[in-house]
């Protein structure tokens, strides 16, 4: 009794505990079904799928089916793939079904957790999407779970970068579809560029589970997915400015803001620019293009680093994700920065692009009726998940206690001394037989450390953005004796490191971090590679006073003071303020990054409303009878002409020339009919009269063209003009965003200005679109 009271009190104090108590009750009910379910034959279990679907049609809900459906999937998983869901996995599965974030530590079997809500929600017949970190894991997880789903009569597909349109269409029509966020997002954009319904591959957005949800919705949130088209040959100014940029000197000619990655010319820098470019006033209106090119060239030269921010892969500049260390295929820096880096590196400069479709991951996944996700480090982002998506985060207990030893950080004066100490620690661990996973902050640092331990004769694997395809294979062997892997920050995420026989007795996997990340979740994810499922293990970070985090965000005088201490560079520094420096710096970064994500989300939110309206319009042209749509646009056009032309209170002073200009553009009207119009004294009656005139003209056109031919031509012209004006509008909105950013210096809120100006631009787009489409159709310019 006392124990029960204590649990109730704990639940009141800790809301997460209250959720856990509720989950435990449901798990008990699932387990109570197990003896009965386990007595069923394979065919009887398979028949349950049809039974569940029939019950849904009769009015039961997915919640009503959860206990029995989970018990069925648990049994089938045990029989077919030899995995019986633990109680904590069932708890995580309930959290996911409820549209929440499930935090479960690395090694807790999140692939199994996802199977249960996937099966339950797939019963609705609307398709369930499971998003994983990369193509390899998407295919691997799909292949692993497929036998269990197929045993229950469900189809399961996978989409990778290599999937062709027909394969994508088939995969999306399965009950369950695995893939990556990038592929799903790009498919959404391409679907909304299609001209025929049959060219679309997705069939809706019902329920999605995001594996590593914080990586997708937070780490990658600042970079939208963009489909662009070349505007023409790249300007040779990129090569010209790539030669000019190195002539500028930091502090003398420009200042660099490490936090915002911005560059500002000093007076001397402005004079140098004017001298090199042979112009009198560098910041005059006619030189705006030169200012832009110099800014991008200097960013490429002084901020964006080879083998840190990007790599050269197949003679192309490939962006490296700062949080995952993976190559970002299909993505390019915007605003000319990518071309500036290409010019700096001496590779072929790509054509300047114009955006024709874009969406952020946040706004794409908001399309789903229900969104949920899993991660090992979700609670630090719980507030953001709730604020942006309305999703609660639930910390689910581990199956076995975590016994990993998280050792205190070891601090050093400089990077050279730090790497010497890291290499020494690797050597000691290697000689003991313990496997080691070393986290490096960049490709460059991973290769530097590799050279050092190569000199010590330690065999090892390097896993970074250049080794993308081998990633999971290498990590899978990371728990073997004497294994040493040097990996960029997040490589291997989603792949368990299982300890080989005899390794537990040695102390398990040792994780060494060579630098503290700007985001504490990245550090926690690295730590979490060790100590899975009650395994022993350890983690420790090595930090130098010139690491990026402290260099950019810690007080300069404090860092310099510690570096000035008379301590050998490879000897650890003992100082009680150092852990606090790390914590404070990471808090500052968290605030800056949250602001940047919110900035992206807020501005894309303005475009997103317009995007959804535009895509809905396209869908109507593709899937509906276009005659109704043409009539709607015609009425809008008439209302706009009346609004502009009939402002005067007296009809005699209305601008009849504008009204007759519209009439003559769209129809042939006898003079007596025009005279009748001029006698109308009501704007409403005038609107009705104009519509009847144009309706009659349209009906005459229907007599000229076969109905099928007219609908086809209307759709063609409608889609062509819609896409053209949308592309132009996106360019206008990009330009507007750049312009309003300057308003903060005159104490005007950029977002408010962007909303107001963007709304006016959007209204004009709709007016232009309706006019152009109606004019093209009535004039017979149907393509």
């Amino acid at each position: 009794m006392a124990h029960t009271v204590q649990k109730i009190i704990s639940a009141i104090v800790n809301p997460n505990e209250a959720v856990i108590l509720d989950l435990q009750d449901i798990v008990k009910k699932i387990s109570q079904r197990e003896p009965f379910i386990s007595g069923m034959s394979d065919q009887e279990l398979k028949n349950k799928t049809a039974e569940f679907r029939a019950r849904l049609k009769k009015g039961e809900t997915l919640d009503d089916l959860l206990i029995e459906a989970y018990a069925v999937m648990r049994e089938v998983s045990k029989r077919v793939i030899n995995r019986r869901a633990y109680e904590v996995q069932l708890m995580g599965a309930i959290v996911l079904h409820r549209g929440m974030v499930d935090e479960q530590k690395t090694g807790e079997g999140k692939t199994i957790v996802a199977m249960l809500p996937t099966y339950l929600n797939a019963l609705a017949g609307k398709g369930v999407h499971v998003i994983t970190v990369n193509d390899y894991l998407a295919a691997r997880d799909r292949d692993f779970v497929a036998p269990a789903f197929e045993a229950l009569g469900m189809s399961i597909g996978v989409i990778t970068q290599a999937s062709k349109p027909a394969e994508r269409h088939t995969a999306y029509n399965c009950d369950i579809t695995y893939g990556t966020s990038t592929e799903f997002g790009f498919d959404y954009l391409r679907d909304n560029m299609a001209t025929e319904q049959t060219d679309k591959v997705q069939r809706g957005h019902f329920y999605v589970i995001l594996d590593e949800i914080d990586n997708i919705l937070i780490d990658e949130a600042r970079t939208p997915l963009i489909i662009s088209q070349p505007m023409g040959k790249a300007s040779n100014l990129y090569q010209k400015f790539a030669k000019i940029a190195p002539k500028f000197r930091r502090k003398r000619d420009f200042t660099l803001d490490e936090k915002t990655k911005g560059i500002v010319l000093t007076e001397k820098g402005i004079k140098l620019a004017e001298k090199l470019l042979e112009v009198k006033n560098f910041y005059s209106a006619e030189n705006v293009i030169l200012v832009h090119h110099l800014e991008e060239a200097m960013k490429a030269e002084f901020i964006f680093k080879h083998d840190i921010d990007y790599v050269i892969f197949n003679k192309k500049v490939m962006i490296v994700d700062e949080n995952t260390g993976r190559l970002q295929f299909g993505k390019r820096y915007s605003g000319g920065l990518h071309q500036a880096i290409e010019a700096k590196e001496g590779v072929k400069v790509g054509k300047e692009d114009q955006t024709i479709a874009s969406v952020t991951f946040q706004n794409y996944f908001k399309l789903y009726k229900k969104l949920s996700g899993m991660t090992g480090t979700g609670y630090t982002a719980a507030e953001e998940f709730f604020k942006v998506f309305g999703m609660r985060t639930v910390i689910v207990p581990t199956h076995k206690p975590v016994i990993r030893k998280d050792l205190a950080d070891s601090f050093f004066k400089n990077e050279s001394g730090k790497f010497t100490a890291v290499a020494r620690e690797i050597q000691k661990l290697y000689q003991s037989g313990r496997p080691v996973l070393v986290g490096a902050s960049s490709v460059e640092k991973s290769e530097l450390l590799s050279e050092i331990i190569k000199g010590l004769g330690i065999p090892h694997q390097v896993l970074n953005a250049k080794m993308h395809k081998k990633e999971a294979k290498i990590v899978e062997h990371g728990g073997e004796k004497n294994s040493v892997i040097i990996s960029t920050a997040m490589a291997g995420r989603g792949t368990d490191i299982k300890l080989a026989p005899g390794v537990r007795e040695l102390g398990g996997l040792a994780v060494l971090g060579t630098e503290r990340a700007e985001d504490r979740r990245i550090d926690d994810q690295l730590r979490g590679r060790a100590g899975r499922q009650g395994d022993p293990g350890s983690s420790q970070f090595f930090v130098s006073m010139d690491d990026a985090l402290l260099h950019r965000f810690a007080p300069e005088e404090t860092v310099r003071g510690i570096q000035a201490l008379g301590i050998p560079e490879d000897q650890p520094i003992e100082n009680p303020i150092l852990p606090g420096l790390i914590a404070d710096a990471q808090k500052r970064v968290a605030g800056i990054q949250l602001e940047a994500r919110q900035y992206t989300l807020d501005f894309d939110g303005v475009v997103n409303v317009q995007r959804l309206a535009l895509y809905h319009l396209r869908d109507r042209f593709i899937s509906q009878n276009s005659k109704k749509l043409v009539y709607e646009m015609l009425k809008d056009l008439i209302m706009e002409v009346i609004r502009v032309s009939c402002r005067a209170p007296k009809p005699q002073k209305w601008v009849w020339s504008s009204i007759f200009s519209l009439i003559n553009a769209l129809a042939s009207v006898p003079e007596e009919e025009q005279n009748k119009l001029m006698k109308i004294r009501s704007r409403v009656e005038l609107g009705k009269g104009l519509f009847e005139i144009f309706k009659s003209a349209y009906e005459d056109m229907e007599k000229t063209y076969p109905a099928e031919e007219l609908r086809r031509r209307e759709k063609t012209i409608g889609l062509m003009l819609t896409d053209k004006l949308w592309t132009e509008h996106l360019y206008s909105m990009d330009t507007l965003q750049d312009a309003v950013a300057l308003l903060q210096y005159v104490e005007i809120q950029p977002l408010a200005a962007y909303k107001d100006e963007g709304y006016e631009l959007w209204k004009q787009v709709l007016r232009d679109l309706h006019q152009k489409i109606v004019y093209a159709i009535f004039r017979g310019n149907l393509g």
Side-chain angles (χ1 to χ4, degrees):
M1 178 66 180
H3 179 65
T4 302
V5 172
Q6 183 60 41
K7 287 181 73 175
I8 293 171
I9 293 172
S10 177
I12 295 171
V13 175
N14 183 351
N16 191 79
E17 187 66 27
V19 177
I20 297 301
L21 288 173
D22 176 46
L23 296 176
Q24 287 172 338
D25 288 340
I26 299 172
V27 167
K28 284 180 184 176
K29 293 175 182 176
I30 296 170
S31 295
Q32 287 168 358
R33 296 287 181 108
E34 193 166 16
F36 173 72
I37 296 293
S38 62
M40 290 183 169
S41 68
D42 291 350
Q43 187 59 47
E44 286 173 327
L45 287 171
K46 188 173 186 176
N47 292 343
K48 293 297 286 185
T49 297
E51 177 197 317
F52 290 146
R53 284 177 164 159
R55 286 163 60 182
L56 283 174
K57 287 182 179 178
K58 290 179 180 178
E60 288 192 53
T61 66
L62 293 175
D63 289 345
D64 295 332
L65 299 178
L66 185 147
I67 291 170
E68 195 170 356
Y70 276 23
V72 167
M73 175 48 85
R74 186 189 210 182
E75 179 64 25
V76 170
S77 176
K78 181 180 73 175
R79 291 187 194 183
V80 179
I81 60 175
N82 197 29
R83 293 290 192 278
R84 176 184 175 275
Y86 306 131
E87 289 190 358
V88 292
Q89 289 174 322
L90 292 175
M91 290 163 67
I94 299 165
V95 169
L96 291 179
H97 170 66
R98 290 178 175 177
M100 298 176 173
V101 177
D102 166 36
E103 178 176 313
Q104 289 188 283
K105 301 302 179 187
T106 299
E108 291 296 302
K110 290 191 282 289
T111 304
I112 302 300
V113 174
M115 290 176 66
L116 293 112
T118 297
Y119 173 66
L120 173 63
N121 284 270
L123 292 169
K126 298 176 183 178
V128 173
H129 298 163
V130 182
I131 307 296
T132 60
V133 172
N134 57 43
D135 281 353
Y136 172 83
L137 292 177
R140 186 202 68 177
D141 288 358
R142 182 265 175 199
D143 291 346
F144 177 68
V145 302
F149 284 107
E150 289 165 355
L152 286 167
M154 284 194 167
S155 56
I156 178 168
V158 64
I159 290 166
T160 67
Q161 192 178 15
S163 299
K164 294 179 172 56
E167 295 169 330
R168 291 171 188 266
H169 190 273
T170 300
Y172 280 118
N173 276 289
C174 289
D175 294 304
I176 301 142
T177 312
Y178 277 70
T180 65
S181 55
T182 301
E183 292 305 312
F184 278 66
F186 276 131
D187 280 340
Y188 167 69
L189 294 177
R190 284 189 288 260
D191 275 0
N192 285 288
M193 295 165 61
T195 57
E196 299 291 343
Q197 193 67 35
T198 53
D199 292 335
K200 294 188 175 188
V201 295
Q202 293 187 340
R203 60 168 172 144
H205 301 89
F206 173 60
Y207 175 52
V208 63
I209 299 173
L210 304 181
D211 191 9
E212 308 296 2
I213 186 171
D214 52 336
N215 176 237
I216 295 168
L217 295 186
I218 293 179
D219 298 337
E220 297 190 14
R222 286 170 288 170
T223 308
L225 295 173
I226 296 173
I227 293 179
S228 56
Q229 62 186 11
M231 293 173 64
K233 186 179 179 181
S235 167
N236 60 10
L237 286 175
Y238 290 110
Q239 287 88 345
K240 177 180 179 179
F241 278 88
K243 295 175 182 176
I244 289 175
K247 296 180 181 180
F248 288 78
R249 293 289 174 264
R250 189 174 179 180
K251 293 185 179 179
R252 184 194 74 184
D253 301 319
F254 68 93
T255 58
L256 192 157
D257 189 327
E258 297 276 5
K259 300 171 184 61
T260 62
K261 293 189 174 181
I263 284 178
V264 178
L265 291 181
T266 63
E267 286 297 323
K268 288 185 177 179
I270 294 171
K271 289 179 180 178
L272 178 59
E274 290 171 344
K275 178 183 176 182
L276 293 172
L277 297 168
E278 300 178 350
V279 296
K280 288 184 178 180
N281 182 355
F282 184 54
Y283 283 105
S284 64
E286 62 267 24
N287 291 330
V288 65
I289 190 69
L290 301 181
V291 174
H292 172 73
H293 273 281
L294 182 60
E295 286 178 351
E296 299 308 311
M298 291 181 71
K299 285 180 186 177
E301 180 68 28
F302 298 108
I303 297 177
F304 288 81
K305 304 297 184 184
H306 183 270
D307 275 353
I308 296 177
D309 300 294
Y310 63 89
V311 298
I312 306 301
F313 185 76
N314 289 339
K315 296 182 180 180
K316 293 180 180 178
V317 172
M318 301 291 292
I319 301 173
V320 176
D321 187 299
E322 64 180 309
N323 294 301
T324 67
R326 296 189 176 96
L327 297 183
Q328 294 189 298
F329 291 96
K331 290 188 178 181
R332 288 173 64 84
Y333 294 118
S334 60
L337 175 60
H338 209 95
Q339 287 89 345
I341 294 172
E342 288 169 333
K344 165 192 166 184
E345 295 293 344
V347 300
K348 183 180 178 182
V349 177
K351 293 181 179 179
E352 295 178 16
D353 293 335
Q354 181 173 359
T355 300
I356 57 176
S358 71
V359 68
T360 59
F361 283 127
Q362 297 106 316
N363 279 322
Y364 171 67
F365 286 111
K366 279 183 176 181
L367 294 171
Y368 285 84
K369 185 177 179 181
K370 183 165 64 176
L371 166 67
S372 66
M374 308 178 287
T375 177
T377 53
Y379 211 73
T380 52
E383 185 178 346
E384 190 168 350
F385 283 133
F386 186 77
K387 180 182 177 183
V388 178
F389 300 97
M391 303 169 70
R392 286 189 61 184
T393 300
V394 178
I395 303 175
V396 175
T398 55
H399 179 54
K400 295 179 181 178
V402 176
I403 61 172
R404 182 187 66 241
K405 295 177 181 177
D406 294 328
L407 306 176
D409 293 1
S410 196
F411 293 86
F412 299 85
K413 287 172 65 174
N414 55 39
E415 185 177 79
S416 173
K418 177 185 70 174
F419 275 122
T420 299
V422 171
R424 196 162 53 220
E425 183 67 14
I426 293 172
Q427 186 176 40
K428 184 177 80 173
L429 291 164
Y430 173 74
Q431 289 170 349
S432 75
R434 283 184 68 186
V436 185
L437 176 66
V438 186
S441 61
S442 66
V443 175
E444 179 187 43
K445 299 290 174 62
S446 70
E447 293 177 346
L448 171 63
L449 184 57
S450 173
E451 287 300 314
I452 294 172
I453 68 170
K454 195 180 292 181
L456 297 175
I458 300 173
H460 62 282
Q461 297 267 16
V462 178
L463 180 57
N464 56 40
K466 297 178 179 179
M467 312 280 289
H468 185 79
K469 291 185 177 179
K470 298 180 181 178
E471 178 179 309
K473 291 288 185 185
I474 292 173
V475 173
E476 280 178 358
H477 297 285
E480 297 174 358
K481 284 184 179 180
N482 298 113
S483 167
V484 176
I485 297 174
I486 300 173
S487 165
T488 44
M490 287 284 296
R493 188 172 184 171
T495 306
D496 282 343
I497 299 177
K498 297 178 181 178
L499 301 185
V503 171
R504 286 183 60 89
E505 292 74 17
L506 297 173
L509 176 69
V511 169
L512 304 180
T514 60
E515 194 167 330
R516 279 290 199 159
E518 292 185 354
D519 190 328
R520 185 161 63 89
R521 288 180 304 104
I522 307 300
D523 293 340
D524 292 343
Q525 286 151 5
L526 182 60
R527 283 194 197 280
R529 308 309 300 169
R532 61 179 293 280
Q533 285 289 333
D535 284 343
S538 65
S539 70
Q540 186 175 24
F541 284 87
F542 291 70
V543 181
S544 74
M545 302 313 295
D546 50 9
D547 283 349
L549 177 66
L550 295 179
H551 175 66
R552 292 175 62 189
F553 298 101
E556 283 186 40
E557 60 277 9
T558 305
V559 172
R560 282 201 304 267
I562 292 172
Q563 287 179 321
L565 295 172
I567 298 173
E569 64 174 22
D570 63 340
Q571 180 179 320
I573 303 170
E574 301 292 337
N575 192 310
I577 72 167
L578 291 174
L581 281 182
I582 295 292
D584 289 345
Q586 289 182 329
K587 283 180 184 176
R588 289 184 66 192
V589 176
I592 292 169
Q593 292 182 342
L594 175 59
E595 190 176 316
R597 289 192 295 272
Q598 193 62 51
Y599 183 90
T600 300
L601 187 60
D602 286 343
F603 277 81
D604 190 62
V606 176
V607 178
N608 194 53
V609 173
Q610 301 167 0
R611 179 191 296 117
L612 293 175
L614 189 285
Y615 286 173
H616 178 65
L617 177 62
R618 287 187 98 263
D619 278 344
R620 291 186 65 191
F621 267 118
I622 290 173
S623 60
Q624 297 179 10
N625 187 319
S626 54
K627 179 177 179 178
K628 181 181 178 182
L629 193 50
V630 171
Y631 275 9
E632 288 178 15
M633 290 184 172
L634 185 57
K635 288 177 182 177
D636 287 341
L637 184 56
I638 291 169
M639 287 174 62
E640 178 62 18
V641 168
I642 291 175
R643 183 185 71 82
V644 173
S645 305
C646 303
R647 288 174 176 165
K650 293 182 179 181
Q652 294 89 335
K653 293 191 176 182
W654 289 349
V655 185
W656 287 98
S657 59
S658 296
I659 296 170
F660 286 118
S661 177
L662 175 65
I663 293 171
N664 294 330
L666 302 184
S668 176
V669 181
E671 190 173 340
E672 58 269 22
E673 290 294 325
Q674 295 188 26
N675 291 332
K676 282 182 184 179
L677 277 178
M678 294 187 70
K679 293 177 182 178
I680 292 175
R681 294 294 178 262
S682 159
R683 293 179 181 84
V684 173
E685 291 304 315
L686 177 60
K688 289 179 179 178
L690 288 173
F691 182 73
E692 288 303 317
I693 288 172
F694 298 139
K695 181 182 177 184
S696 176
Y698 186 86
E699 289 171 348
D700 288 342
M701 189 163 52
E702 285 187 302
K703 296 171 185 175
T704 305
Y705 293 97
E708 187 177 335
E709 176 70 7
L710 185 59
R711 299 291 91 81
R712 185 189 67 78
R713 291 184 173 187
E714 286 172 347
K715 183 181 80 169
T716 299
I717 201 70
L719 293 177
M720 182 185 72
L721 287 171
T722 298
D723 291 346
K724 182 177 183 295
L725 267 65
W726 176 242
T727 299
E728 293 171 357
H729 179 63
L730 286 177
Y731 181 77
S732 297
M733 294 297 283
D734 284 344
T735 304
L736 176 62
Q737 186 171 342
D738 290 339
V740 299
L742 301 174
L743 294 176
Q744 60 188 311
Y745 298 111
V746 291
E747 298 184 354
I748 296 176
Q749 287 295 326
L751 180 60
Y754 185 73
K755 285 180 178 178
D756 292 342
E757 294 293 328
Y759 180 63
E760 293 303 317
L761 286 173
W762 176 242
K763 287 196 297 185
Q764 187 59 49
V765 165
L766 290 179
R767 287 194 290 265
D768 290 348
L769 182 61
H770 293 175
Q771 181 186 39
K772 288 178 183 292
I773 289 176
V774 170
Y775 272 45
I777 291 170
F778 274 77
R779 287 173 171 175
N781 300 328
L782 297 172

